[in-house]
Amino acid sequence: MVNYEDFVNWKQDPVTKQFFNQIEDKIEEVKELLVQDAGKDPEGDRYLCGYARACYDILATEFKEDD
């Protein structure tokens, strides 16, 4: 079972920080693609928006105590 201290340690680990930085970079890439090409492929635009939303959700990971 993971406790809050484990979670904090994980969030502060250099590998985790690098992973989160790469997620942030992906979000910026998606934003740039949408700024340059939005409207050319509406289905692709929706996919990219969903992808960015998923990335934001990963960045917002918080500790939740298991029941």
Side-chain angles (χ1 to χ4, degrees):
M1 176 179 248
V2 175
N3 61 35
Y4 183 73
E5 185 178 332
D6 293 334
F7 178 77
V8 169
N9 288 336
W10 173 75
K11 288 280 281 200
Q12 294 175 349
D13 187 275
V15 173
T16 305
K17 287 182 178 182
Q18 182 61 32
F19 173 74
F20 277 73
N21 286 337
Q22 289 181 0
I23 296 269
E24 290 171 350
D25 290 346
K26 286 294 184 185
I27 291 170
E28 290 305 313
E29 287 176 27
V30 168
K31 285 180 184 178
E32 191 63 32
L33 283 171
L34 287 169
V35 165
Q36 291 176 7
D37 297 329
K40 293 179 182 176
D41 177 12
E43 188 173 318
D45 294 348
R46 287 193 306 272
Y47 174 84
L48 290 173
C49 288
Y51 181 82
R53 179 71 259 162
C55 289
Y56 279 119
D57 289 347
I58 291 169
L59 294 177
T61 301
E62 295 181 9
F63 179 77
K64 293 187 180 180
E65 190 82 38
D66 287 342
D67 293 326

